[in-house]
Amino acid sequence: MDPQQQLNKDAKLCKRWALGLTFLFVLLFPGVMFLTGYQYTLSFFKGWTYLAFGWLIIAGICIIVRPVVEFVKEKKERDTV
């Protein structure tokens, strides 16, 4: 497959995931909680905040580590050829 085609395919997949997760976490989940009349407690807010920060930390680690791993793999492949 042409690298540009692969890039376009991956970009489309990433956009779908980003829009889906945004819809889920920003609109759907809080919307259901709002419509049912759920009373947000301090412990619920703390839990949601911890979940969000955990998500950010894991995402940041993946964003930093994955390119390094791919670079090392590519370098090993070039060195063995």
Side-chain angles (χ1 to χ4, degrees):
M1 182 179 282
D2 181 38
Q4 187 63 37
Q5 289 175 336
Q6 183 66 39
L7 185 62
N8 291 338
K9 181 181 172 186
D10 292 342
K12 188 183 289 188
L13 178 69
C14 289
K15 286 178 189 176
R16 287 181 185 160
W17 271 99
L19 291 174
L21 289 173
T22 299
F23 177 75
L24 178 72
F25 289 125
V26 175
L27 298 175
L28 187 64
F29 182 73
V32 169
M33 301 289 277
F34 177 74
L35 292 174
T36 60
Y38 182 80
Q39 295 294 319
Y40 290 95
T41 61
L42 181 60
S43 62
F44 179 81
F45 179 75
K46 284 181 181 179
W48 192 250
T49 304
Y50 293 148
L51 178 68
F53 277 114
W55 182 279
L56 288 172
I57 291 169
I58 291 169
I61 290 170
C62 290
I63 289 169
I64 293 169
V65 170
R66 185 166 179 192
V68 173
V69 170
E70 288 179 0
F71 175 76
V72 169
K73 282 184 177 179
E74 185 178 312
K75 188 174 180 179
K76 282 183 181 179
E77 288 176 5
R78 274 190 280 139
D79 290 343
T80 58
V81 173

